[in-house]
Amino acid sequence: MNLRNVIIVLLSLWMFPANNITAKGTEKNKKEESPRIINIVNFIRQTDYRLQNSDALMFEAVEKQIDLVNRYGFPATFLFQYDALINPEYQKLMKSKLSPACELGAWWEITQPHVEAAGIKWRGEHSWVSTANIAFTPGYTLEEREKLVDVYMEKFREIYGKYPKSVGSWFIDSHTLEYMYEKYGIVASCNCKDQVGTDGYTLWGGYWNQAYYPSKKNAYMPAQTTACQIPVPIFRMLGSDPIYQYDAGIGTNHQGVITLEPVYREGGGNEKWVEYFLQSIVNEPCLAFNYAQAGQENSFTWPAMGKGLELQFPLFDSLRKAGKIKVETLEESGRWFKANFSKTPPTAITTLVDLRNEGNQSVWYNSRFYRANLYWEKDGFCFRDIHLFDEDYQSEYLNTPGTGGQFFYYTLPVVDRFHWSTPDDKIGLRIVKPDKNGKKTEAILFDPVVSEPSKTVLKVESGDKDGNHFIFTLNEDKIEVSCKAVEKDLDWALELRVPQEKIDRLPFKQYDKSSVKSEFRGFHYTVACKKGQIEKGDNKDYVLRFVPVKGKLVIDCTTNRP
């Protein structure tokens, strides 16, 4: 073992200490029940009009990726666009160099050769374009979507002797995904992280990380019932920064990128960031499992991605050897998910160490009913985000092709800091303490402690400067908030204030004592309290308050569907 590898092993032991393992093996058993999974997913395009000499540079990137994967003996997933799939040089490369432990699958961006093989007219200016209604299946009719699947699957089987089991894309519509499952038996898929405006399409409010079973009406929306779900887990790609990705570009129509992708110098190309990210993935509470997708699309070329991958892989290798992560193919992860979960499980992403030392901490909770983000800042605490999930919320592209270069996929907002803020006025659902004279102070919480009382429940405890102790219990279908007060006769509430220029974005329409009838993009849902009351504000001081009863508040996260 050379000196560099020795240093990496020692560093990983320092970052991810073994002293969490008890004499009785409790922590070991916990990690076996809640694995930390890394998928190395490299997807392959044949050409890119934006690059000079693109075909050769992109082929070189894949060669280098294979060499690196083979060096560490990692099982990796390589996903092919149709144009690369039919290239004999890629076929020769995969059959001669790729380890049998690796997986070949489909990357679902639509190209000119693919469209023409299916008997459809190509609408792009180049043989591959990133335009949403050309490059992705929501821009095609249902019949065309099925033809595109049939042509690809038969060509893949002709070349490799079987159908692919994993299919990834920035986004695949539910009709296509279900067709792939029913006719060709795919077992896993992956889609893009949450983003706003990147490459002309928006995915916002979804299951924030890990994986979910999608609704048959909307592949971005987690289903609540087995009858309405497509039984193919969709894993969220790219490894978003749990603290800083969300607010990147806040209050605008375009979000920045801080992810595990090795080409980003603030993310996966920065060794300190990678260590910080893995600390959250590997060591912190996560409930069912934690997950990250590593790897890179070949359009970025090896000079841009190589340094980042070269620094990431030794860390993965050390953690794998220490039994702290599993590195496996997307297909393997899909099969494990289906064997363990009949419905989408609750998961969490806990990040209590701030890489930038700015006093920020974050806890994400996901279930089949909702997602929520608890966020501690240097000068405050809030629910930064709450979105509800409803399998009846139909994608506008379910049966009708989308037009133009902008596609939008959303869930149902209760708190949306990104869209309801301005760059200078960042909102949140905050704890306020009103006094008898109507004045109020904001409770600033410190030192969160996160625990897992059960397989589906995450408990977060955090105190304020006055000694009051707030407890947040995130259940699969509800959020409970309570307070062990030191202050006598303490009154508190969760309050939402929104800048005036963003008021028209709010979904809240009709208030009563314990619920708010809401509407988002034509879909009606209800935000309700099981315990506590909802107070309507005047929109100047605040929009609404969730007011506890006898020190306890319970927010229903099921949308109160009929």
Side-chain angles (χ1 to χ4, degrees):
M1 182 181 291
N2 62 35
L3 180 60
R4 172 177 165 78
N5 288 338
V6 170
I7 292 171
I8 288 170
V9 170
L10 293 174
L11 178 64
S12 69
L13 291 173
W14 174 73
M15 286 171 52
F16 313 106
N19 60 11
N20 289 329
I21 302 175
T22 66
K24 295 181 180 180
T26 304
E27 185 63 21
K28 180 180 178 181
N29 292 337
K30 176 62 181 172
K31 287 293 176 65
E32 289 173 353
E33 293 175 0
S34 305
R36 276 60 171 174
I37 298 171
I38 302 291
N39 287 162
I40 300 169
V41 179
N42 299 307
F43 53 94
I44 304 170
R45 301 185 179 111
Q46 162 65 35
T47 192
D48 191 323
Y49 67 90
R50 300 169 297 184
L51 298 172
Q52 288 188 341
N53 196 28
S54 65
D55 293 25
L57 288 171
M58 292 160 70
F59 188 87
E60 177 195 40
V62 178
E63 284 186 302
K64 296 288 190 181
Q65 288 171 336
I66 291 175
D67 289 342
L68 187 60
V69 165
N70 289 345
R71 188 192 312 168
Y72 289 94
F74 286 150
T77 297
F78 289 82
L79 303 179
F80 281 98
Q81 268 185 188
Y82 187 87
D83 57 355
L85 174 72
I86 62 176
N87 183 334
E89 292 302 312
Y90 276 112
Q91 296 168 26
K92 181 181 177 181
L93 177 65
M94 294 298 153
K95 292 177 180 179
S96 63
K97 283 196 170 183
L98 196 65
S99 164
C102 292
E103 173 194 15
L104 298 180
W107 181 253
W108 215 247
E109 287 185 22
I110 311 305
T111 62
Q112 185 173 1
H114 191 177
V115 162
E116 291 177 347
I120 305 168
K121 184 179 179 180
W122 176 246
R123 294 174 278 132
E125 183 179 354
H126 307 279
S127 63
W128 169 84
V129 294
S130 61
T131 310
N133 69 320
I134 300 174
F136 302 98
T137 48
Y140 295 81
T141 68
L142 300 189
E143 181 183 8
E144 288 172 338
R145 297 175 201 182
E146 293 179 6
K147 287 181 178 180
L148 291 167
V149 173
D150 291 339
V151 163
Y152 187 100
M153 293 296 183
E154 292 306 326
K155 180 58 70 172
F156 190 99
R157 186 173 69 165
E158 176 187 318
I159 296 167
Y160 294 109
K162 60 182 180 179
Y163 295 128
K165 294 302 181 183
S166 296
V167 183
S169 179
W170 295 142
F171 192 79
I172 304 175
D173 68 281
S174 56
H175 180 86
T176 298
L177 197 67
E178 188 169 20
Y179 185 75
M180 289 174 171
Y181 166 74
E182 291 183 344
K183 188 169 183 178
Y184 298 101
I186 68 167
V187 299
S189 187
C190 56
N191 69 13
C192 188
K193 66 174 177 61
D194 269 28
Q195 62 180 28
V196 176
T198 308
D199 294 330
Y201 54 99
T202 291
L203 306 170
W204 193 252
Y207 197 99
W208 195 78
N209 193 51
Q210 284 100 321
Y212 66 97
Y213 288 120
S215 163
K216 292 181 178 181
K217 295 181 179 180
N218 187 338
Y220 184 62
M221 179 71 73
Q224 287 73 59
T225 64
T226 53
C228 291
Q229 74 185 16
I230 301 170
V232 176
I234 297 178
F235 291 81
R236 304 305 305 273
M237 297 182 71
L238 305 181
S240 293
D241 187 307
I243 292 177
Y244 291 105
Q245 173 64 52
Y246 186 96
D247 279 355
I250 189 169
T252 72
N253 294 320
H254 192 278
Q255 195 182 37
V257 179
I258 310 173
T259 68
L260 188 59
E261 294 171 272
V263 297
Y264 291 111
R265 299 302 173 230
E266 290 187 9
N270 181 301
E271 190 162 9
K272 288 185 178 179
W273 185 93
V274 175
E275 292 169 357
Y276 141 86
F277 178 81
L278 290 175
Q279 162 69 21
S280 175
I281 293 292
V282 172
N283 273 0
E284 300 293 352
C286 67
L287 295 174
F289 73 107
N290 219 334
Y291 174 82
Q293 175 260 319
Q296 189 75 69
E297 63 201 272
N298 64 337
S299 287
F300 278 104
T301 76
W302 186 253
M305 73 177 77
K307 182 178 178 181
L309 290 177
E310 291 276 7
L311 75 85
Q312 290 180 19
F313 274 44
L315 292 172
F316 297 156
D317 190 46
S318 296
L319 291 170
R320 181 182 63 165
K321 288 175 179 176
K324 292 181 176 293
I325 65 170
K326 293 182 177 182
V327 180
E328 58 189 26
T329 65
L330 184 57
E331 177 187 352
E332 289 173 322
S333 297
R335 292 190 184 281
W336 172 83
F337 190 97
K338 291 187 71 173
N340 284 274
F341 311 112
S342 60
K343 298 176 184 176
T344 299
T347 61
I349 306 94
T350 306
T351 311
L352 303 182
V353 176
D354 182 2
L355 173 70
R356 301 181 186 178
N357 295 316
E358 295 178 7
N360 300 318
Q361 298 169 299
S362 172
V363 174
W364 286 94
Y365 179 89
N366 303 286
S367 78
R368 61 194 163 105
F369 293 103
Y370 72 103
R371 79 174 192 186
N373 180 227
L374 282 68
Y375 193 58
W376 291 258
E377 301 174 272
K378 183 178 180 181
D379 56 353
F381 164 83
C382 67
F383 280 88
R384 186 165 57 166
D385 186 280
I386 301 174
H387 277 76
L388 307 184
F389 303 148
D390 193 315
E391 64 195 18
D392 288 331
Y393 180 41
Q394 178 175 306
S395 163
E396 60 190 273
Y397 319 113
L398 178 63
N399 299 308
T400 304
T403 59
Q406 295 284 335
F407 279 2
F408 302 94
Y409 283 88
Y410 295 104
T411 61
L412 306 173
V414 178
V415 180
D416 187 340
R417 173 165 159 142
F418 186 89
H419 285 106
W420 299 351
S421 296
T422 67
D424 298 321
D425 189 357
K426 299 177 182 179
I427 69 100
L429 185 64
R430 304 183 184 277
I431 299 174
V432 296
K433 299 189 290 186
D435 64 20
K436 295 179 180 179
N437 299 317
K439 294 182 179 181
K440 63 186 178 185
T441 57
E442 180 183 337
I444 299 174
L445 305 188
F446 306 95
D447 301 326
V449 176
V450 183
S451 60
E452 302 170 83
S454 75
K455 293 181 178 180
T456 63
V457 177
L458 195 75
K459 185 177 181 181
V460 182
E461 302 175 68
S462 190
D464 68 10
K465 63 181 178 60
D466 298 312
N468 304 300
H469 191 70
F470 288 87
I471 302 169
F472 306 88
T473 307
L474 303 165
N475 301 272
E476 189 171 21
D477 60 353
K478 61 183 178 291
I479 299 171
E480 301 178 11
V481 186
S482 61
C483 180
K484 295 180 180 178
V486 172
E487 294 179 86
K488 186 178 181 181
D489 300 324
L490 173 68
D491 287 328
W492 61 272
L494 290 178
E495 179 181 281
L496 178 66
R497 184 195 59 79
V498 174
Q500 287 300 302
E501 55 265 51
K502 298 289 185 175
I503 291 292
D504 61 351
R505 289 178 173 257
L506 301 180
F508 312 121
K509 302 301 180 185
Q510 184 178 340
Y511 292 75
D512 62 29
K513 188 175 181 180
S514 60
S515 66
V516 183
K517 295 187 185 304
S518 305
E519 180 183 352
F520 181 73
R521 296 177 77 90
F523 187 85
H524 297 270
Y525 60 105
T526 301
V527 179
C529 283
K530 288 187 172 181
K531 185 170 185 178
Q533 298 179 356
I534 297 178
E535 294 181 353
K536 183 179 184 301
D538 61 5
N539 287 345
K540 293 180 180 180
D541 185 24
Y542 66 92
V543 172
L544 61 77
R545 279 179 179 170
F546 295 96
V547 181
V549 172
K550 295 182 179 179
K552 187 172 184 179
L553 179 67
V554 180
I555 301 173
D556 184 358
C557 294
T558 64
T559 73
N560 281 266
R561 296 184 301 124

